Amino acid sequence: MGGAFLAAAVLARLGARIGLPTIPLFILAGILLGPNTPGIVLVEDPHEFEMLSALGLVLLLFYLGLEFHMDDLKTGGRKMAIAGGAYLALNVGAGLAFGFALGWGTSEALVLAGVLGISSSAIVTKVLVDLGRIGNPETKPILGIIVVEDIFLALYLAALQPVISGADSLSSAALDAGKAFGFLLLLAALARWGIELIGRLFATRDNELLVISFLGAAVFVAGVSEWFGVADAIGAFMVGLMLGSTASGNRIRKLVHPLRDAFGAIFFFAFGLSIDPGDLPKVLGPVAIAVVVTMVMNVAAGQVAARLYGFGAQPAANISTALLARGEFALILATMAAGAGLDDRLSPFIAGYVLILAVLSPLAAANAHRLARFLPGGDRPEPPKAGALQGQGKGEGTDPE
């Protein structure tokens, strides 16, 4: 485990020097040091990291819930819903069509719809911060689309779980789905009307007690969620959503940060352990097509969002490229698909797809002005000034943590 942390850290440091995000590097560390590649093998059996990986996933989604605010839906909710709905319709629809075109199966197509349709909140946020665009006008629709995606993924995972787990009959599938949605509604009701009570339960000045309390709540509700047929990650997301609105929310965000980073790295590392590089060549064709489809759909969605908000070519290009990355949600689906015994080509496909887009996204975002030249009204784009970006990156647009 120590070797895993150190290997991930070394690769992440090397990647930072050339501007790459950490997620694909953590996965690469798992691939290189796993049982499927020659050389040093740190972990012979990927299942040894199963519980640590699950904890990493829970903490990633718990943190995402903390960052989500119910007030976001009250201000500019209509435009946000239209922009997010258009993004999902284009990307999820294209992913579903692509999945059926591959002919791997209906359950596999439903998984691929989510893989191709949902952006990586972690990578998108990191790209915006690194490029100093947090304060830009077009960042509002970008974050709005992410919020809509988060709501969609909760419903999507609840509906997908009984389908890919192979319910015995239509009535059994309906019962499983009803149980999952019922539990989700209970969590949503608590998030809407139980915040005051939850806030009192978690109110403490002792950071040690607060860490133990929120960690216990996140993991416990994640486990109960799985028993009800809802993905454990969504249970953790809902706990984060509730606690983020309490008086302790800001303290919890700061306290969970190192836990999220450490165990999140293990989640991505453990995913890399399960990948056999020898399986990648057989899915390179589908991966390449999927990457092109995603890039085209993102440009179209960026145009829709830009016109909705009255933006020009450069903001449209910024929206398109910032939302390009796929990451943690795609890996959640890969884990679910592997557990349900779906087509064994899904895991290497998702790994290759995530790796390529996780590398392409920050590079494309940094060169969005080049894309703007080809968009309507983009004859004379103004490329971002390096000095201005550096100044923004050190100022208001930078995460203080």
Side-chain angles (χ1 to χ4, degrees):
M1 180 176 167
F5 275 118
L6 290 174
V10 169
L11 276 179
R13 281 175 175 268
L14 292 174
R17 293 175 180 268
I18 54 175
L20 291 179
T22 55
I23 288 176
L25 296 169
F26 292 153
I27 298 173
L28 181 61
I31 294 173
L32 294 176
L33 299 173
N36 299 311
T37 52
I40 299 173
V41 177
L42 282 181
V43 185
E44 289 285 355
D45 183 6
H47 293 292
E48 292 177 359
F49 271 50
E50 207 165 79
M51 183 57 70
L52 292 171
S53 174
L55 182 58
L57 180 58
V58 163
L59 288 170
L60 281 169
L61 269 291
F62 173 72
Y63 183 80
L64 195 60
L66 288 172
E67 292 295 314
F68 180 88
H69 297 286
M70 296 298 289
D71 292 341
D72 291 340
L73 294 177
K74 298 175 183 177
T75 57
R78 182 175 174 274
K79 284 185 178 180
M80 182 191 303
I82 295 173
Y87 188 90
L88 288 171
L90 288 168
N91 285 274
V92 174
L96 187 63
F98 173 79
F100 280 120
L102 280 181
W104 291 356
T106 301
S107 295
E108 286 78 1
L110 292 172
V111 170
L112 288 171
V115 170
L116 270 66
I118 306 293
S119 305
S120 166
S121 300
I123 299 178
V124 169
T125 303
K126 183 172 176 58
V127 166
L128 292 174
V129 171
D130 288 350
L131 294 177
R133 294 180 183 169
I134 290 295
N136 285 15
E138 72 273 9
T139 297
K140 185 176 180 180
I142 291 173
L143 297 179
I145 289 171
I146 290 176
V147 167
V148 174
E149 285 183 325
D150 291 341
I151 296 171
F152 171 78
L153 75 86
L155 300 174
Y156 174 77
L157 286 180
L160 185 65
Q161 184 81 12
V163 174
I164 68 172
S165 61
D168 296 332
S169 64
L170 185 60
S171 60
S172 177
L175 180 63
D176 289 344
K179 188 170 68 170
F181 279 117
F183 185 69
L184 267 180
L185 286 175
L186 174 62
L187 293 178
L190 282 173
R192 177 65 179 85
W193 293 291
I195 297 300
E196 186 176 344
L197 173 61
I198 293 170
R200 287 202 299 266
L201 290 174
F202 282 83
T204 176
R205 294 182 179 180
D206 189 321
N207 283 345
E208 180 184 5
L209 290 178
L210 186 57
V211 170
I212 295 170
S213 298
F214 75 67
L215 187 58
V219 176
F220 178 76
V221 174
V224 174
S225 298
E226 197 168 58
W227 187 80
F228 274 98
V230 177
D232 52 1
I234 295 305
F237 173 83
M238 294 301 292
V239 174
L241 179 65
M242 297 176 209
L243 295 183
S245 300
T246 66
S248 303
N250 288 331
R251 285 173 60 210
I252 292 173
R253 287 185 191 92
K254 293 178 181 178
L255 292 170
V256 78
H257 224 279
L259 292 170
R260 180 208 67 176
D261 290 344
F263 288 97
I266 290 296
F267 169 72
F268 295 118
F269 179 87
F271 182 75
L273 291 175
S274 65
I275 297 171
D276 185 348
D279 293 335
L280 293 176
K282 65 183 179 184
V283 294
L284 280 181
V287 166
I289 296 171
V291 168
V292 172
V293 168
T294 301
M295 293 174 72
V296 171
M297 290 298 104
N298 264 49
V299 171
Q303 285 287 95
V304 171
R307 290 190 179 186
L308 184 65
Y309 282 82
F311 294 146
Q314 185 61 58
N318 290 347
I319 294 170
S320 301
T321 53
L323 290 166
L324 187 60
R326 301 296 186 263
E328 59 276 7
F329 181 55
L331 301 188
I332 292 170
L333 288 172
T335 303
M336 289 174 61
L342 300 187
D343 196 302
D344 58 7
R345 289 172 291 186
L346 272 177
S347 286
F349 170 88
I350 293 173
Y353 176 74
V354 168
L355 281 169
I356 290 174
L357 284 182
V359 172
L360 279 181
S361 176
L363 298 177
N367 292 278
H369 59 281
R370 300 180 187 277
L371 171 63
R373 296 174 185 170
F374 301 95
L375 299 180
D379 294 334
R380 292 185 300 276
E382 295 182 9
K385 297 178 181 179
L389 287 181
Q390 291 171 2
Q392 290 177 13
K394 295 177 182 177
E396 181 182 351
T398 304
D399 186 344
E401 294 172 12

